[in-house]
Amino acid sequence: MINKILSGINRENGFTLVEVMFALAIMMVSFSAIILTQSGSRDALERTRRMTTVSMLAKNAMVDAEIYFQDKTFSEVDDEKSGSFDSPYDQYTWERTIKEVEFPDLNSLLNSEDEESGVTRTQEMMLKLITQYISDSLREVTVTITWPKGKGTKNYSLTTYWVDLSREFSITQ
């Protein structure tokens, strides 16, 4: 029956309705794929731009902290500090935290490996002093950048370790 209908149509007058609908369906699928690809590319570009900005702000905040800490001991600086950036980055805020790093007790590591290690009392005292010196001379500095994202916020943290090279090693406790 369909063959009779199709055979009765003069091909010189144009396309059939089925052919036109099939061509439109192919075009819609193609355009949808193009739009989805463009949308994904735009989102990826926005994320890349945002992370580049955040990385630059975190690096600048860390450099500012390093300049601030120059020629100061760990006791002379604030353990926590926060602020915001100037325009056009005023939607971003920063927070800097400084933590003391607890270096593991070397004596306990040596004693746990071999109970008969032969470590003398003097060596134990020196290891304890060295462990304490390293703990007192080392700090973990973290800069966190925060910005609004939708109804919440997003964070990016940058961490480094600073050593007080001017700290004197003392044998007395």
Side-chain angles (χ1 to χ4, degrees):
M1 175 115 174
I2 294 178
N3 286 338
K4 287 184 180 180
I5 295 172
L6 291 178
S7 64
I9 297 175
N10 186 354
R11 285 285 191 185
E12 293 176 16
N13 290 337
F15 298 105
T16 65
L17 180 60
V18 173
E19 292 172 330
V20 171
M21 290 183 65
F22 187 69
L24 285 174
I26 291 173
M27 286 177 36
M28 288 176 57
V29 168
S30 300
F31 289 147
S32 296
I34 291 170
I35 289 171
L36 286 174
T37 302
Q38 285 295 91
S39 176
S41 296
R42 190 188 81 238
D43 291 345
L45 178 65
E46 176 60 27
R47 280 192 307 274
T48 302
R49 184 191 65 76
R50 173 79 69 178
M51 289 312 298
T52 300
T53 300
V54 168
S55 298
M56 179 215 42
L57 292 172
K59 179 183 173 191
N60 287 344
M62 191 65 81
V63 168
D64 288 344
E66 195 171 323
I67 291 169
Y68 172 72
F69 292 148
Q70 195 169 12
D71 299 326
K72 293 180 182 173
T73 63
F74 291 137
S75 62
E76 295 175 324
V77 294
D78 298 328
D79 287 343
E80 292 186 16
K81 192 166 185 170
S82 61
S84 59
F85 294 98
D86 295 332
S87 183
Y89 306 108
D90 49 357
Q91 74 267 23
Y92 298 92
T93 60
W94 60 270
E95 180 182 348
R96 180 183 66 228
T97 57
I98 303 171
K99 296 179 187 172
E100 185 174 335
V101 177
E102 287 296 324
F103 201 78
D105 182 17
L106 298 175
N107 282 319
S108 64
L109 293 174
L110 288 176
N111 291 334
S112 66
E113 289 178 9
D114 183 13
E115 292 297 326
E116 302 283 328
S117 64
V119 177
T120 66
R121 176 83 173 124
T122 305
Q123 290 171 330
E124 284 182 10
M125 288 176 47
M126 285 303 293
L127 284 175
K128 185 176 181 181
L129 287 171
I130 290 170
T131 301
Q132 188 61 44
Y133 175 77
I134 292 172
S135 290
D136 291 344
S137 300
L138 186 63
R139 295 292 184 271
E140 179 184 85
V141 179
T142 303
V143 171
T144 303
I145 307 298
T146 305
W147 67 95
K149 173 84 173 173
K151 294 182 180 180
T153 59
K154 293 279 279 182
N155 295 322
Y156 175 83
S157 294
L158 178 66
T159 301
T160 190
Y161 293 89
W162 287 350
V163 179
D164 183 2
L165 297 175
S166 62
R167 186 175 207 88
E168 290 187 28
F169 182 76
S170 174
I171 296 189
T172 60
Q173 289 185 344

